[in-house]
mmCIF file of all heavy atoms in Angstrom:
data_model
loop_
_atom_site.group_PDB
_atom_site.id
_atom_site.type_symbol
_atom_site.label_atom_id
_atom_site.label_comp_id
_atom_site.label_asym_id
_atom_site.label_seq_id
_atom_site.Cartn_x
_atom_site.Cartn_y
_atom_site.Cartn_z
ATOM 1 N N TYR A 29 -89.906 -99.555 -40.533
ATOM 2 C CA TYR A 29 -90.109 -98.471 -41.200
ATOM 3 C C TYR A 29 -91.523 -97.967 -40.779
ATOM 4 O O TYR A 29 -92.417 -98.673 -40.265
ATOM 5 C CB TYR A 29 -89.950 -98.321 -42.585
ATOM 6 C CG TYR A 29 -90.996 -99.062 -43.445
ATOM 7 C CD1 TYR A 29 -92.028 -98.512 -43.861
ATOM 8 C CD2 TYR A 29 -90.829 -100.375 -43.774
ATOM 9 C CE1 TYR A 29 -93.081 -99.057 -44.706
ATOM 10 C CE2 TYR A 29 -91.690 -101.201 -44.475
ATOM 11 C CZ TYR A 29 -92.809 -100.396 -44.997
ATOM 12 O OH TYR A 29 -93.771 -101.229 -45.664
ATOM 13 N N THR A 30 -91.713 -96.620 -40.888
ATOM 14 C CA THR A 30 -93.122 -95.956 -40.529
ATOM 15 C C THR A 30 -93.916 -95.564 -41.728
ATOM 16 O O THR A 30 -93.352 -95.405 -42.841
ATOM 17 C CB THR A 30 -92.869 -94.743 -39.686
ATOM 18 O OG1 THR A 30 -92.018 -93.831 -40.519
ATOM 19 C CG2 THR A 30 -92.049 -95.002 -38.432
ATOM 20 N N GLN A 31 -95.224 -95.635 -41.620
ATOM 21 C CA GLN A 31 -95.960 -94.757 -42.472
ATOM 22 C C GLN A 31 -97.158 -94.187 -41.635
ATOM 23 O O GLN A 31 -98.046 -94.966 -41.264
ATOM 24 C CB GLN A 31 -96.691 -95.832 -43.549
ATOM 25 C CG GLN A 31 -97.785 -95.155 -44.472
ATOM 26 C CD GLN A 31 -97.093 -93.843 -45.107
ATOM 27 O OE1 GLN A 31 -96.112 -93.717 -45.521
ATOM 28 N NE2 GLN A 31 -98.107 -92.829 -45.207
ATOM 29 N N CYS A 32 -97.010 -92.961 -41.381
ATOM 30 C CA CYS A 32 -97.892 -92.224 -40.483
ATOM 31 C C CYS A 32 -99.140 -91.603 -41.068
ATOM 32 O O CYS A 32 -100.098 -91.245 -40.300
ATOM 33 C CB CYS A 32 -97.180 -91.271 -39.548
ATOM 34 S SG CYS A 32 -95.972 -91.964 -38.413
ATOM 35 N N GLN A 33 -99.199 -91.346 -42.268
ATOM 36 C CA GLN A 33 -100.246 -90.718 -42.901
ATOM 37 C C GLN A 33 -101.413 -91.905 -43.047
ATOM 38 O O GLN A 33 -101.071 -92.956 -43.500
ATOM 39 C CB GLN A 33 -99.930 -90.155 -44.339
ATOM 40 C CG GLN A 33 -100.998 -89.341 -44.842
ATOM 41 C CD GLN A 33 -100.709 -88.685 -46.310
ATOM 42 O OE1 GLN A 33 -100.244 -89.498 -47.155
ATOM 43 N NE2 GLN A 33 -100.814 -87.444 -46.449
ATOM 44 N N SER A 34 -102.723 -91.512 -42.799
ATOM 45 C CA SER A 34 -103.213 -90.297 -42.332
ATOM 46 C C SER A 34 -103.219 -90.104 -40.875
ATOM 47 O O SER A 34 -102.910 -89.026 -40.290
ATOM 48 C CB SER A 34 -104.630 -90.093 -42.987
ATOM 49 O OG SER A 34 -104.698 -90.070 -44.223
ATOM 50 N N ILE A 35 -103.576 -91.051 -40.140
ATOM 51 C CA ILE A 35 -103.722 -91.105 -38.800
ATOM 52 C C ILE A 35 -103.072 -92.156 -37.975
ATOM 53 O O ILE A 35 -103.709 -92.746 -37.080
ATOM 54 C CB ILE A 35 -105.173 -91.015 -38.366
ATOM 55 C CG1 ILE A 35 -105.948 -92.155 -38.904
ATOM 56 C CG2 ILE A 35 -105.903 -89.664 -38.823
ATOM 57 C CD1 ILE A 35 -107.523 -92.153 -38.321
ATOM 58 N N HIS A 36 -101.757 -92.404 -38.236
ATOM 59 C CA HIS A 36 -101.118 -93.573 -37.617
ATOM 60 C C HIS A 36 -99.850 -93.196 -36.837
ATOM 61 O O HIS A 36 -99.378 -93.943 -36.075
ATOM 62 C CB HIS A 36 -100.599 -94.449 -38.781
ATOM 63 C CG HIS A 36 -101.739 -94.967 -39.563
ATOM 64 N ND1 HIS A 36 -102.601 -95.975 -39.163
ATOM 65 C CD2 HIS A 36 -102.195 -94.737 -40.755
ATOM 66 C CE1 HIS A 36 -103.437 -96.364 -40.036
ATOM 67 N NE2 HIS A 36 -103.255 -95.534 -41.096
ATOM 68 N N ALA A 37 -99.567 -91.799 -36.634
ATOM 69 C CA ALA A 37 -98.477 -91.490 -35.750
ATOM 70 C C ALA A 37 -98.948 -91.825 -34.338
ATOM 71 O O ALA A 37 -98.025 -92.148 -33.570
ATOM 72 C CB ALA A 37 -98.355 -89.851 -35.892
ATOM 73 N N ARG A 38 -100.233 -91.803 -34.058
ATOM 74 C CA ARG A 38 -100.660 -91.991 -32.637
ATOM 75 C C ARG A 38 -100.435 -93.505 -32.329
ATOM 76 O O ARG A 38 -100.545 -93.851 -31.007
ATOM 77 C CB ARG A 38 -102.229 -91.788 -32.596
ATOM 78 C CG ARG A 38 -103.045 -92.808 -33.468
ATOM 79 C CD ARG A 38 -104.520 -92.248 -33.533
ATOM 80 N NE ARG A 38 -104.504 -91.078 -34.358
ATOM 81 C CZ ARG A 38 -105.692 -90.467 -34.502
ATOM 82 N NH1 ARG A 38 -106.972 -90.998 -34.065
ATOM 83 N NH2 ARG A 38 -105.809 -89.336 -35.203
ATOM 84 N N SER A 39 -100.058 -94.430 -33.231
ATOM 85 C CA SER A 39 -99.669 -95.757 -32.743
ATOM 86 C C SER A 39 -98.339 -96.023 -32.457
ATOM 87 O O SER A 39 -97.765 -97.011 -32.168
ATOM 88 C CB SER A 39 -100.216 -96.747 -33.935
ATOM 89 O OG SER A 39 -99.309 -96.511 -35.120
ATOM 90 N N ILE A 40 -97.502 -94.803 -32.514
ATOM 91 C CA ILE A 40 -96.038 -94.822 -32.201
ATOM 92 C C ILE A 40 -95.859 -94.087 -30.844
ATOM 93 O O ILE A 40 -95.016 -94.506 -30.061
ATOM 94 C CB ILE A 40 -95.137 -94.206 -33.313
ATOM 95 C CG1 ILE A 40 -95.445 -94.852 -34.622
ATOM 96 C CG2 ILE A 40 -93.684 -94.301 -32.955
ATOM 97 C CD1 ILE A 40 -94.630 -94.275 -35.819
ATOM 98 N N PHE A 41 -96.343 -92.947 -30.842
ATOM 99 C CA PHE A 41 -96.438 -92.165 -29.513
ATOM 100 C C PHE A 41 -97.605 -91.309 -29.291
ATOM 101 O O PHE A 41 -98.228 -91.015 -30.411
ATOM 102 C CB PHE A 41 -95.117 -91.338 -29.524
ATOM 103 C CG PHE A 41 -95.085 -90.274 -30.784
ATOM 104 C CD1 PHE A 41 -95.533 -88.999 -30.521
ATOM 105 C CD2 PHE A 41 -94.533 -90.642 -31.960
ATOM 106 C CE1 PHE A 41 -95.497 -88.180 -31.667
ATOM 107 C CE2 PHE A 41 -94.487 -89.838 -32.996
ATOM 108 C CZ PHE A 41 -95.037 -88.527 -32.896
ATOM 109 N N PRO A 42 -97.936 -90.920 -28.116
ATOM 110 C CA PRO A 42 -99.124 -90.074 -27.881
ATOM 111 C C PRO A 42 -98.929 -88.714 -28.422
ATOM 112 O O PRO A 42 -97.920 -88.236 -28.171
ATOM 113 C CB PRO A 42 -99.289 -90.045 -26.353
ATOM 114 C CG PRO A 42 -98.410 -91.152 -25.799
ATOM 115 C CD PRO A 42 -97.340 -91.296 -26.870
ATOM 116 N N CYS A 43 -99.889 -88.274 -29.184
ATOM 117 C CA CYS A 43 -99.886 -86.899 -29.813
ATOM 118 C C CYS A 43 -101.222 -86.358 -30.169
ATOM 119 O O CYS A 43 -102.179 -87.108 -30.146
ATOM 120 C CB CYS A 43 -98.904 -86.948 -31.069
ATOM 121 S SG CYS A 43 -99.610 -88.021 -32.384
ATOM 122 N N GLN A 44 -101.298 -85.088 -30.557
ATOM 123 C CA GLN A 44 -102.507 -84.551 -31.055
ATOM 124 C C GLN A 44 -102.315 -84.764 -32.559
ATOM 125 O O GLN A 44 -101.701 -84.080 -33.306
ATOM 126 C CB GLN A 44 -102.497 -82.961 -30.803
ATOM 127 C CG GLN A 44 -102.743 -82.825 -29.195
ATOM 128 C CD GLN A 44 -102.498 -81.372 -28.848
ATOM 129 O OE1 GLN A 44 -101.501 -80.805 -29.235
ATOM 130 N NE2 GLN A 44 -103.308 -80.750 -27.969
ATOM 131 N N ASP A 45 -102.867 -85.941 -32.930
ATOM 132 C CA ASP A 45 -102.593 -86.498 -34.407
ATOM 133 C C ASP A 45 -103.642 -85.964 -35.322
ATOM 134 O O ASP A 45 -104.561 -86.640 -35.908
ATOM 135 C CB ASP A 45 -102.708 -88.078 -34.262
ATOM 136 C CG ASP A 45 -102.073 -88.684 -35.525
ATOM 137 O OD1 ASP A 45 -101.475 -88.072 -36.283
ATOM 138 O OD2 ASP A 45 -102.285 -90.055 -35.642
ATOM 139 N N THR A 46 -103.435 -84.598 -35.499
ATOM 140 C CA THR A 46 -104.191 -84.038 -36.564
ATOM 141 C C THR A 46 -103.295 -83.017 -37.277
ATOM 142 O O THR A 46 -102.363 -82.287 -36.619
ATOM 143 C CB THR A 46 -105.386 -83.243 -35.855
ATOM 144 O OG1 THR A 46 -105.755 -82.129 -36.824
ATOM 145 C CG2 THR A 46 -104.880 -82.290 -34.716
ATOM 146 N N PRO A 47 -103.406 -82.812 -38.489
ATOM 147 C CA PRO A 47 -102.553 -81.836 -39.218
ATOM 148 C C PRO A 47 -102.746 -80.423 -38.866
ATOM 149 O O PRO A 47 -101.922 -79.559 -39.242
ATOM 150 C CB PRO A 47 -102.917 -82.050 -40.704
ATOM 151 C CG PRO A 47 -104.235 -82.808 -40.752
ATOM 152 C CD PRO A 47 -104.286 -83.522 -39.552
ATOM 153 N N ALA A 48 -103.723 -80.076 -37.990
ATOM 154 C CA ALA A 48 -103.958 -78.779 -37.477
ATOM 155 C C ALA A 48 -102.981 -78.455 -36.511
ATOM 156 O O ALA A 48 -102.722 -77.260 -36.159
ATOM 157 C CB ALA A 48 -105.349 -78.568 -36.880
ATOM 158 N N ALA A 49 -102.237 -79.431 -35.985
ATOM 159 C CA ALA A 49 -101.372 -79.327 -34.939
ATOM 160 C C ALA A 49 -99.906 -79.415 -35.362
ATOM 161 O O ALA A 49 -99.347 -80.637 -35.468
ATOM 162 C CB ALA A 49 -101.518 -80.331 -33.624
ATOM 163 N N ARG A 50 -99.238 -78.391 -35.777
ATOM 164 C CA ARG A 50 -97.874 -78.535 -36.330
ATOM 165 C C ARG A 50 -96.892 -78.468 -35.105
ATOM 166 O O ARG A 50 -96.997 -77.663 -34.146
ATOM 167 C CB ARG A 50 -97.670 -77.406 -37.319
ATOM 168 C CG ARG A 50 -98.677 -77.427 -38.483
ATOM 169 C CD ARG A 50 -98.378 -76.273 -39.430
ATOM 170 N NE ARG A 50 -97.151 -76.553 -40.182
ATOM 171 C CZ ARG A 50 -97.212 -76.963 -41.624
ATOM 172 N NH1 ARG A 50 -98.297 -77.173 -42.038
ATOM 173 N NH2 ARG A 50 -96.034 -77.268 -42.128
ATOM 174 N N VAL A 51 -95.871 -79.461 -35.210
ATOM 175 C CA VAL A 51 -94.855 -79.507 -34.068
ATOM 176 C C VAL A 51 -93.476 -79.474 -34.695
ATOM 177 O O VAL A 51 -93.262 -79.960 -35.823
ATOM 178 C CB VAL A 51 -95.224 -80.630 -33.188
ATOM 179 C CG1 VAL A 51 -96.533 -80.579 -32.437
ATOM 180 C CG2 VAL A 51 -95.022 -81.923 -34.069
ATOM 181 N N LYS A 52 -92.491 -78.969 -33.791
ATOM 182 C CA LYS A 52 -91.280 -79.292 -34.065
ATOM 183 C C LYS A 52 -90.837 -80.506 -33.126
ATOM 184 O O LYS A 52 -91.545 -80.793 -32.196
ATOM 185 C CB LYS A 52 -90.361 -78.090 -33.581
ATOM 186 C CG LYS A 52 -90.661 -76.832 -34.468
ATOM 187 C CD LYS A 52 -89.804 -75.677 -33.979
ATOM 188 C CE LYS A 52 -90.227 -74.403 -34.746
ATOM 189 N NZ LYS A 52 -89.445 -73.158 -34.284
ATOM 190 N N TYR A 53 -89.748 -81.153 -33.431
ATOM 191 C CA TYR A 53 -89.479 -82.321 -32.571
ATOM 192 C C TYR A 53 -87.983 -82.661 -32.643
ATOM 193 O O TYR A 53 -87.172 -82.250 -33.502
ATOM 194 C CB TYR A 53 -90.242 -83.436 -32.928
ATOM 195 C CG TYR A 53 -89.923 -84.248 -34.214
ATOM 196 C CD1 TYR A 53 -88.852 -85.135 -34.319
ATOM 197 C CD2 TYR A 53 -90.638 -83.972 -35.375
ATOM 198 C CE1 TYR A 53 -88.546 -85.793 -35.626
ATOM 199 C CE2 TYR A 53 -90.276 -84.669 -36.681
ATOM 200 C CZ TYR A 53 -89.184 -85.509 -36.706
ATOM 201 O OH TYR A 53 -88.992 -86.200 -37.833
ATOM 202 N N ALA A 54 -87.558 -83.308 -31.580
ATOM 203 C CA ALA A 54 -86.144 -83.923 -31.458
ATOM 204 C C ALA A 54 -86.405 -85.391 -31.098
ATOM 205 O O ALA A 54 -87.377 -85.773 -30.460
ATOM 206 C CB ALA A 54 -85.456 -83.283 -30.361
ATOM 207 N N ALA A 55 -85.497 -86.340 -31.556
ATOM 208 C CA ALA A 55 -85.678 -87.764 -31.343
ATOM 209 C C ALA A 55 -84.388 -88.411 -31.118
ATOM 210 O O ALA A 55 -83.241 -88.065 -31.873
ATOM 211 C CB ALA A 55 -86.399 -88.379 -32.563
ATOM 212 N N LYS A 56 -84.306 -89.203 -30.265
ATOM 213 C CA LYS A 56 -83.005 -90.139 -29.913
ATOM 214 C C LYS A 56 -83.613 -91.530 -30.169
ATOM 215 O O LYS A 56 -84.465 -91.939 -29.454
ATOM 216 C CB LYS A 56 -82.577 -90.035 -28.501
ATOM 217 C CG LYS A 56 -82.119 -88.472 -28.210
ATOM 218 C CD LYS A 56 -81.871 -88.425 -26.666
ATOM 219 C CE LYS A 56 -81.404 -86.959 -26.406
ATOM 220 N NZ LYS A 56 -81.214 -86.770 -24.846
ATOM 221 N N LEU A 57 -83.012 -92.217 -31.100
ATOM 222 C CA LEU A 57 -83.332 -93.644 -31.481
ATOM 223 C C LEU A 57 -82.183 -94.529 -31.051
ATOM 224 O O LEU A 57 -81.013 -94.494 -31.517
ATOM 225 C CB LEU A 57 -83.453 -93.685 -33.030
ATOM 226 C CG LEU A 57 -84.824 -93.225 -33.627
ATOM 227 C CD1 LEU A 57 -85.078 -91.699 -33.331
ATOM 228 C CD2 LEU A 57 -84.763 -93.549 -35.155
ATOM 229 N N ASN A 58 -82.589 -95.403 -30.054
ATOM 230 C CA ASN A 58 -81.544 -96.356 -29.494
ATOM 231 C C ASN A 58 -81.782 -97.680 -30.290
ATOM 232 O O ASN A 58 -82.868 -98.269 -30.108
ATOM 233 C CB ASN A 58 -81.771 -96.719 -28.159
ATOM 234 C CG ASN A 58 -80.787 -97.524 -27.413
ATOM 235 O OD1 ASN A 58 -80.784 -98.633 -27.703
ATOM 236 N ND2 ASN A 58 -79.932 -97.011 -26.532
ATOM 237 N N ILE A 59 -80.774 -98.123 -31.096
ATOM 238 C CA ILE A 59 -80.926 -99.213 -32.028
ATOM 239 C C ILE A 59 -79.748 -100.072 -31.877
ATOM 240 O O ILE A 59 -78.755 -99.752 -31.250
ATOM 241 C CB ILE A 59 -81.022 -98.649 -33.397
ATOM 242 C CG1 ILE A 59 -79.857 -97.969 -33.866
ATOM 243 C CG2 ILE A 59 -82.248 -97.847 -33.522
ATOM 244 C CD1 ILE A 59 -79.847 -97.462 -35.320
ATOM 245 N N PRO A 60 -79.886 -101.439 -32.479
ATOM 246 C CA PRO A 60 -78.719 -102.295 -32.553
ATOM 247 C C PRO A 60 -77.535 -101.706 -33.245
ATOM 248 O O PRO A 60 -77.731 -101.059 -34.273
ATOM 249 C CB PRO A 60 -79.290 -103.465 -33.245
ATOM 250 C CG PRO A 60 -80.722 -103.544 -32.784
ATOM 251 C CD PRO A 60 -81.038 -102.068 -32.939
ATOM 252 N N ARG A 61 -76.401 -101.861 -32.692
ATOM 253 C CA ARG A 61 -75.278 -101.206 -33.302
ATOM 254 C C ARG A 61 -74.911 -101.516 -34.825
ATOM 255 O O ARG A 61 -74.475 -100.644 -35.577
ATOM 256 C CB ARG A 61 -73.910 -101.598 -32.588
ATOM 257 C CG ARG A 61 -72.618 -100.769 -32.815
ATOM 258 C CD ARG A 61 -71.572 -101.027 -31.904
ATOM 259 N NE ARG A 61 -71.898 -100.430 -30.555
ATOM 260 C CZ ARG A 61 -71.543 -99.241 -30.180
ATOM 261 N NH1 ARG A 61 -71.033 -98.329 -31.150
ATOM 262 N NH2 ARG A 61 -71.817 -98.764 -28.888
ATOM 263 N N GLN A 62 -75.357 -102.755 -35.219
ATOM 264 C CA GLN A 62 -75.039 -103.160 -36.488
ATOM 265 C C GLN A 62 -76.010 -102.434 -37.629
ATOM 266 O O GLN A 62 -75.815 -102.634 -38.748
ATOM 267 C CB GLN A 62 -75.108 -104.625 -36.748
ATOM 268 C CG GLN A 62 -76.415 -105.296 -36.515
ATOM 269 C CD GLN A 62 -76.620 -105.777 -35.060
ATOM 270 O OE1 GLN A 62 -76.265 -105.036 -34.201
ATOM 271 N NE2 GLN A 62 -77.453 -106.822 -34.956
ATOM 272 N N LEU A 63 -77.013 -101.713 -36.989
ATOM 273 C CA LEU A 63 -77.970 -101.078 -37.885
ATOM 274 C C LEU A 63 -77.757 -99.610 -37.971
ATOM 275 O O LEU A 63 -76.914 -99.110 -37.146
ATOM 276 C CB LEU A 63 -79.467 -101.394 -37.482
ATOM 277 C CG LEU A 63 -79.876 -102.891 -37.274
ATOM 278 C CD1 LEU A 63 -81.202 -102.911 -36.907
ATOM 279 C CD2 LEU A 63 -79.553 -103.618 -38.576
ATOM 280 N N SER A 64 -78.421 -98.932 -38.829
ATOM 281 C CA SER A 64 -78.427 -97.513 -38.902
ATOM 282 C C SER A 64 -79.796 -96.938 -39.098
ATOM 283 O O SER A 64 -80.714 -97.738 -39.415
ATOM 284 C CB SER A 64 -77.455 -96.884 -39.968
ATOM 285 O OG SER A 64 -77.837 -97.378 -41.191
ATOM 286 N N ALA A 65 -80.047 -95.774 -38.832
ATOM 287 C CA ALA A 65 -81.360 -95.061 -38.809
ATOM 288 C C ALA A 65 -81.338 -93.836 -39.696
ATOM 289 O O ALA A 65 -80.323 -93.068 -39.854
ATOM 290 C CB ALA A 65 -81.799 -94.834 -37.551
ATOM 291 N N VAL A 66 -82.468 -93.698 -40.520
ATOM 292 C CA VAL A 66 -82.658 -92.449 -41.221
ATOM 293 C C VAL A 66 -84.039 -91.875 -40.647
ATOM 294 O O VAL A 66 -84.830 -92.593 -40.280
ATOM 295 C CB VAL A 66 -82.714 -92.592 -42.698
ATOM 296 C CG1 VAL A 66 -81.336 -92.928 -43.189
ATOM 297 C CG2 VAL A 66 -83.708 -93.582 -43.133
ATOM 298 N N MET A 67 -84.163 -90.458 -40.765
ATOM 299 C CA MET A 67 -85.371 -89.892 -40.273
ATOM 300 C C MET A 67 -85.737 -88.599 -41.072
ATOM 301 O O MET A 67 -84.885 -88.171 -41.808
ATOM 302 C CB MET A 67 -85.169 -89.441 -38.878
ATOM 303 C CG MET A 67 -86.314 -89.290 -38.095
ATOM 304 S SD MET A 67 -86.115 -89.252 -36.271
ATOM 305 C CE MET A 67 -87.898 -89.466 -35.676
ATOM 306 N N ALA A 68 -86.980 -88.318 -41.170
ATOM 307 C CA ALA A 68 -87.437 -87.077 -41.853
ATOM 308 C C ALA A 68 -87.109 -85.894 -40.897
ATOM 309 O O ALA A 68 -87.980 -85.199 -40.403
ATOM 310 C CB ALA A 68 -88.882 -87.175 -42.134
#
């Protein structure tokens, strides 16, 4: 699981990791079939 506050999103993917930069996003998560994923 993730915890990105305050400045940890940058350790998952490159980004402008500041709350001044608001973004929309799409994500494809490739995972083992026996598991499932949830997302914000």
Side-chain angles (χ1 to χ4, degrees):
Y29 69 89
T30 59
Q31 174 55 38
C32 289
Q33 194 179 49
S34 295
I35 54 171
H36 300 284
R38 66 191 67 183
S39 70
I40 304 176
F41 57 95
C43 59
Q44 292 163 318
D45 195 5
T46 167
R50 303 182 72 103
V51 294
K52 301 176 182 180
Y53 70 84
K56 298 172 184 176
L57 281 60
N58 184 295
I59 62 175
R61 187 174 292 274
Q62 68 268 32
L63 304 181
S64 57
V66 293
M67 203 165 190

